[in-house]
Amino acid sequence: MTDATTATVPLTGASLLGSSDVQGSGAVIHGVDPRTGETLQPGYPLIGAAEVDSAASLAAEAFRSYRQTTPEQRARFLESIADNIAALGDVLTDRVIAETGIVRGRVVGETARTVNQLRLFAAVLREGNWHEARIDPAQPDRQPLPRVDIRLRKVPLGPVAVFGASNFPLAFSVAGGDTASALASGSPVIVKAHSSHPGTSELVGRAIRAAVAEHGLHEGVFSLLFGSGSSAGIALVRDPRVKAVGFTGSRTAGLALVEAAANRPEPIPVYAEMSSINPVFILPGALAAGAGALGAGWVGSVTTGVGQLCTSPGLVFVPEGDAASEFIAAAATAISGVENSPMLSTGIAAAFNAGADAVKRHPGVALVAEAADRGDIAACSIPQLYVTDAATFLADDRLQAEMFGPGSIVITVRDSAQMVEILERLEGQLTVTIHSDGAEPGAAELLETAELKAGRVLFNGWPTGVEVGHAMVHGGPFPATSNGATTSVGTLAIDRFLRPVSYQNAPAALLPAELQDENPLGIWRKHDGRLRHA
């Protein structure tokens, strides 16, 4: 890698427009250490409409050639990005910690996840099923009408705008899953960096740009912009050369992007992950068998990542009675012993504290336990545990609001039938968790409801922790995402940035490789409705 920032090359504060470093002319943002409140250098001047236009123009130019690259060429490109990010080592790790307060072990793990998902999409490209190649050969003698030769493959949509996430500065940001899957599809990417970790974004952005140069690709395959979400971000979504959007963040921001995309002369898809409270339902048998262990385990999931994970469980439903009391007591003991840790930013901490205060003031909700306040953290939050009953919960939809941080509510219910009633009234979720042996009454009905409410249904575990693989769905019905038919994690994510095209009676010399009779790519294809490798 020749372009990525190393220990001897300082950060510049520049946006990366293709191969050019461009200093914005707007307000200057800085990373801030959430542990101490220290302002980090350098400053990052925000770009404006002119730079958005330049990035979109470069991406449109790049699309002409980048979409024609072979799967193998793109696979090697993704692997180079992975290598370049891994080569940053402690330079990247230290900057992530300074800008987010995330502990070193989790940063190292998130770096590995980022690198590995890039390599996973390289493997997807080589395997070839993503083409969805189908061939319906001509049947000239078919009666009463002959059939013409029809062949189908998927092609990339075009330039994609990706918005970096606050809570995953690597895995859902500049080189995260949205970028990896879009680049794999053959679509250039323009990333709007998140303002809370600009130095991290520049480091990773330079690693991607270095790979673009190494592989001789058009410079517009990748750009990184530091700009305001309400101006530069909206301008990016409205630009006619941008054909899709990937976003992870708040419901307010996500819906603003959805609205902007829908109101274009040519509407485009926005794949926005926005809001989820990830309810947990513990059926009577499971609760009776291990209420104390379940209470402690639940708190461990609630406080993982200081409660700032997309899949953090915000609600848990337990049958009322002695076992529920044991569960609550164990959870209270566990949360009282949690060490207070910094949130990602003072803004996120303030939003959590405001949400927690609203729950605390609710007349039907009781604060059962909270952790000690260390008092020496700039972006301070206090892990908190609340309890209410089903009647109170059902009477006030405000208790469904996401409390993004280390706080959660226990709701005692009458029985499993009431759990089903409550789940039917909840909004769409990323996850629903069920604790059950599968045989007890209510489990099957709860599962039937859960699969209509969430993208992932878990049994006898906790929702935090998302495996990046072929069978994973990280998505769900609104408002968990703006498009519940897709996923932002796992190999199916590539489908968001592809569309099918049929070729009817195309001359053999013009057919793309994946549809040629001799199958030069050696991929599986549906031939007259049946999978074939020949």
Side-chain angles (χ1 to χ4, degrees):
M1 179 174 62
T2 58
D3 187 60
T5 304
T6 67
T8 58
V9 180
L11 294 168
T12 67
S15 289
L16 311 181
L17 268 67
S19 59
S20 300
D21 287 13
V22 175
Q23 293 286 341
S25 57
V28 179
I29 62 169
H30 291 82
V32 176
D33 190 327
R35 300 166 297 182
T36 64
E38 174 191 0
T39 298
L40 304 173
Q41 299 299 329
Y44 287 78
L46 301 182
I47 55 86
E51 289 81 11
V52 170
D53 179 76
S54 295
S57 178
L58 283 172
E61 292 173 14
F63 183 52
R64 297 189 186 98
S65 58
Y66 187 56
R67 68 180 292 262
Q68 300 296 346
T69 54
T70 66
E72 178 61 28
Q73 287 173 318
R74 295 202 296 280
R76 291 178 181 176
F77 170 47
L78 293 178
E79 288 169 337
S80 290
I81 297 172
D83 291 343
N84 290 351
I85 293 171
L88 288 167
D90 286 343
V91 173
L92 179 60
T93 301
D94 292 344
R95 186 69 187 196
V96 174
I97 293 170
E99 290 186 327
T100 66
I102 297 174
V103 297
R104 181 170 293 272
R106 187 190 143 193
V107 175
V108 171
E110 189 179 334
T111 303
R113 172 177 170 173
T114 305
V115 166
N116 289 338
Q117 67 190 6
L118 286 159
R119 291 176 176 151
L120 177 64
F121 278 107
V124 167
L125 287 169
R126 292 188 174 108
E127 185 270 342
N129 278 348
W130 62 276
H131 290 291
E132 290 281 352
R134 302 178 180 209
I135 298 174
D136 292 341
Q139 296 178 354
D141 298 327
R142 190 184 68 173
Q143 295 297 327
L145 294 173
R147 184 175 78 181
V148 296
D149 183 274
I150 304 174
R151 305 179 184 221
L152 177 150
R153 69 162 179 165
K154 288 189 172 180
V155 300
L157 292 180
V160 173
V162 171
F163 288 73
S166 63
N167 59 337
F168 281 89
L170 299 172
F172 280 87
S173 289
V174 177
D178 289 342
T179 296
S181 53
L183 290 176
S185 77
S187 300
V189 170
I190 305 167
V191 174
K192 196 200 82 64
H194 197 279
S195 59
S196 68
H197 41 78
T200 299
S201 298
E202 184 182 351
L203 285 168
V204 177
R206 290 187 179 278
I208 299 175
R209 189 166 78 176
V212 172
E214 290 164 15
H215 289 266
L217 301 173
H218 189 290
E219 63 173 316
V221 165
F222 175 77
S223 289
L224 172 67
L225 306 179
F226 296 96
S228 163
S230 59
S231 56
I234 294 296
L236 188 58
V237 173
R238 288 175 175 163
D239 192 285
R241 291 159 292 195
V242 170
K243 301 303 181 182
V245 177
F247 170 85
T248 298
S250 71
R251 189 188 306 199
T252 299
L255 290 180
L257 299 183
V258 170
E259 181 180 12
N263 289 332
R264 292 174 27 146
E266 175 202 1
I268 58 173
V270 175
Y271 301 108
E273 180 197 322
M274 298 179 293
S275 178
S276 183
I277 50 178
N278 307 297
V280 176
F281 296 87
I282 304 180
L283 289 171
L287 188 65
L294 286 169
W298 171 65
V299 167
S301 184
V302 169
T303 57
T304 295
V306 201
Q308 299 165 113
L309 306 184
C310 312
T311 54
S312 182
L315 302 172
V316 60
F317 298 87
V318 297
E320 58 194 15
D322 291 343
S325 298
E326 183 182 350
F327 175 91
I328 293 167
T333 299
I335 211 158
S336 298
V338 173
E339 182 178 351
N340 198 352
S341 300
M343 298 195 77
L344 292 161
S345 70
T346 54
I348 290 175
F352 167 73
N353 290 328
D357 286 343
V359 173
K360 191 180 302 183
R361 291 193 304 270
H362 196 288
V365 178
L367 173 66
V368 173
E370 59 185 348
D373 183 0
R374 275 175 42 184
D376 60 348
I377 297 174
C380 182
S381 66
I382 300 173
Q384 299 169 42
L385 168 66
Y386 301 90
V387 174
T388 191
D389 57 29
T392 301
F393 180 80
L394 289 169
D396 192 346
D397 288 344
R398 291 176 297 177
L399 292 177
Q400 289 193 40
E402 182 180 21
M403 192 166 24
F404 190 70
S408 192
I409 308 173
V410 180
I411 299 99
T412 58
V413 301
R414 183 179 61 252
D415 51 24
S416 60
Q418 191 170 45
M419 289 185 182
V420 173
E421 175 192 354
I422 289 170
L423 181 54
E424 288 175 341
R425 291 180 55 174
L426 293 182
E427 296 181 314
Q429 306 292 330
L430 293 173
T431 71
V432 170
T433 300
I434 301 170
H435 282 262
S436 169
D437 62 8
E440 59 187 307
E445 189 176 1
L446 198 59
L447 172 59
E448 289 176 4
T449 306
E451 64 188 12
L452 299 178
K453 286 289 182 177
R456 179 163 58 113
V457 182
L458 301 83
F459 283 86
N460 303 324
W462 306 108
T464 41
V466 179
E467 180 70 25
V468 181
H470 301 290
M472 177 54 65
V473 171
H474 189 64
F478 182 87
T481 65
S482 59
N483 188 327
T486 66
T487 176
S488 63
V489 175
T491 57
L492 278 175
I494 194 173
D495 286 348
R496 297 174 298 165
F497 307 117
L498 297 166
R499 64 178 181 86
V501 174
S502 289
Y503 302 78
Q504 185 168 320
N505 277 349
L510 296 181
L511 282 172
E514 54 268 40
L515 297 180
Q516 293 171 10
D517 285 339
E518 52 271 26
N519 193 11
L521 297 181
I523 61 174
W524 287 93
R525 307 185 295 187
K526 273 196 174 179
H527 194 280
D528 216 5
R530 295 187 177 184
L531 276 174
R532 289 173 48 177
H533 200 252

